[in-house]
């Protein structure tokens, strides 16, 4: 297939490249001096598959500390949508985010799984800061592309992770601390902050399976399993072979209290995540030992 991947040098992009290297790949990343917006403005190639990952995220500190830096994501998605209207690719995978979900549903008062229907593009509720707003706008553009008969698979990944993820993100940062046997073992915000952890291998495998069926829908990429930071840190410490005090740095960014997705639709479409959080921790500690 003729495949375009934007943001291929990012965490998710690297794994897609690894899985798709037998195909004809066009790779666009700002790290190579190639701005995806310029590509979309001037390119007229029709691709069999487009995986649009180009975005600024940067972890919780970036989301909370530099909200205007994320406004470029709006520009990236607008250019992609205009290009798709012109070139008519066979299949698009657009990476949205669980940050698009209303924060009012994630305060921990009611511990519920977020379903795809919790976002209604006709009646928007406040998402998670500018990153969430950018992804909601991207989803709306994708919905318009569907209305002109383009196949657009929108995925909402929850807390994707692996051992080689940038240290801007909580999972690899905790892994590094546990590997070094730091005591106390610190987490940001609160030990009770809860997330739905899905391994990057499952994210990529699910996307490629769904895209192979030419689906034009919106799907959560999640496990449905709630793991708070306290228990995650304890699991990492136990696998690293020590028993530290788990300490929360309450002055650090922590995000919403409880973010867990419903995997019901994903399961019904034929994919169930295969890598448990315990196995993911084991893999990441192994990677940390080699760095």
């Amino acid at each position: 297939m003729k495949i375009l991947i934007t943001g291929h040098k990012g965490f998710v992009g690297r794994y897609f490249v690894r899985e798709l290297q037998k195909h004809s790949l066009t790779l666009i990343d700002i790290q190579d001096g190639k701005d995806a917006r310029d590509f979309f403005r001037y390119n007229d190639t029709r691709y069999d598959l487009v995986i649009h990952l180009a975005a600024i995220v940067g972890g919780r500190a970036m989301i909370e500390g530099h909200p205007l830096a994320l406004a470029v994501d709006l520009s990236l998605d607008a250019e992609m949508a205009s290009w798709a209207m012109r070139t008519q690719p066979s299949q698009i995978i657009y990476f949205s985010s669980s940050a698009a979900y209303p924060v009012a549903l994630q305060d921990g008062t009611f511990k519920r799984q977020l379903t795809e229907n919790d976002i209604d593009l006709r009646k928007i509720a406040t998402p998670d800061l500018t990153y969430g707003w950018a992804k909601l706008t991207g989803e709306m553009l994708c919905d318009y592309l569907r209305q002109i008969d383009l196949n657009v698979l929108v995925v909402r990944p929850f807390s994707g992770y692996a051992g080689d993820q940038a240290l801007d993100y909580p999972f690899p940062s905790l892994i590094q601390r546990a590997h070094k046997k730091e005591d106390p073992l610190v987490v940001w915000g609160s030990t009770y902050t809860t997330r739905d952890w899905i391994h990057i291998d499952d994210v990529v495998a699910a996307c490629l399976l769904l895209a192979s069926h030419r689906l034009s829908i919106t799907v959560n990429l999640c496990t449905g399993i709630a793991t708070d930071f306290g228990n995650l840190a304890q699991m990492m410490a136990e696998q690293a072979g020590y028993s530290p005090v788990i300490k929360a740095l309450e002055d650090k960014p922590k995000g919403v209290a409880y973010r867990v997705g419903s995997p019901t639709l994903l399961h019904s479409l034929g994919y169930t995540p295969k890598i448990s959080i315990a196995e993911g921790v084991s893999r990441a500690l192994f990677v940390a030992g080699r760095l």
Side-chain angles (χ1 to χ4, degrees):
M1 290 193 297
K2 186 181 294 183
I3 300 174
L4 168 67
I5 305 176
T6 67
H8 74 280
K9 286 197 167 179
F11 172 56
V12 181
R14 296 196 306 269
Y15 281 79
F16 272 109
V17 171
R18 184 186 69 183
E19 291 299 311
L20 297 170
Q21 56 187 320
K22 293 182 180 179
H23 296 276
S24 175
L25 301 181
T26 299
L27 305 175
I28 304 294
D29 197 292
I30 195 66
Q31 292 187 51
D32 291 332
K34 299 177 181 178
D35 192 320
R37 292 171 295 182
D38 292 333
F39 175 86
F40 288 134
R41 289 181 188 123
Y42 303 113
N43 176 268
D44 289 315
T45 305
R46 187 174 189 273
Y47 286 91
D48 300 306
L49 175 62
V50 176
I51 304 172
H52 181 47
L53 301 167
I56 293 177
V57 187
R60 196 73 222 171
M62 175 68 80
I63 290 173
E64 293 192 16
H66 304 279
L68 290 179
L70 305 178
V72 70
D73 294 348
L74 295 166
S75 177
L76 284 162
D77 293 346
E79 295 293 350
M80 185 279 292
S82 296
W83 170 84
M85 290 176 60
R86 185 173 74 250
T87 64
Q88 302 281 299
S90 298
Q91 176 77 52
I92 299 169
I93 301 177
Y94 174 75
F95 265 68
S96 183
S97 170
S98 55
Y101 280 105
V103 293
L105 301 179
Q106 304 172 69
D107 63 5
T109 304
F110 300 102
K111 295 180 179 179
R112 61 189 294 278
Q113 293 181 336
L114 298 165
T115 71
E116 288 82 359
N117 292 332
D118 284 326
I119 292 178
D120 184 347
L121 294 177
R122 297 165 299 179
K123 187 179 180 182
I124 297 297
T126 304
D128 194 352
L129 300 178
T130 52
Y131 184 65
W133 281 113
K135 290 304 180 183
L136 274 178
T137 303
E139 288 198 26
M140 186 169 291
L141 293 174
C142 289
D143 194 53
Y144 286 129
L145 291 177
R146 289 169 178 160
Q147 293 176 32
I148 60 170
D149 296 325
L150 292 182
N151 286 326
V152 186
L153 172 66
V154 173
V155 293
R156 294 176 186 150
F158 279 66
S159 294
Y161 72 95
D164 61 342
Q165 194 174 18
L167 294 178
D168 295 335
Y169 295 88
F171 184 94
S173 297
L174 265 175
I175 281 289
Q176 288 294 324
R177 294 174 202 146
H179 175 67
K180 295 175 183 176
K181 293 184 168 56
E182 293 185 5
D183 192 357
L185 180 55
V186 301
V187 300
W188 280 18
S190 168
T191 56
Y192 298 105
T193 299
T194 300
R195 294 293 181 265
D196 184 335
W197 302 95
I198 179 168
H199 195 275
I200 188 61
D201 284 349
D202 280 316
V203 168
V204 171
C207 286
L208 294 180
L209 174 67
L210 301 180
S212 72
H213 295 310
R214 301 290 301 279
L215 295 179
S216 192
I217 58 175
T218 300
V219 186
N220 283 342
L221 300 182
C222 61
T223 67
I225 299 170
T227 305
D228 66 45
F229 276 90
N231 283 321
L232 179 63
Q234 187 64 43
M235 183 187 305
M236 291 177 175
E238 288 176 358
Q239 290 202 29
Y242 77 123
S243 300
V245 172
I246 309 299
K247 179 182 178 181
L249 300 181
E250 297 181 1
D251 60 333
K252 296 293 186 179
K254 63 180 178 180
V256 295
Y258 191 91
R259 178 175 289 165
V260 179
S262 169
T264 300
L265 178 57
L266 181 63
H267 290 175
S268 73
L269 295 169
Y271 193 84
T272 299
K274 298 172 176 57
I275 301 170
S276 69
I277 185 63
E279 181 182 347
V281 166
S282 177
R283 291 187 183 191
L285 284 170
F286 176 77
V287 171
R290 298 176 60 186
L291 295 178

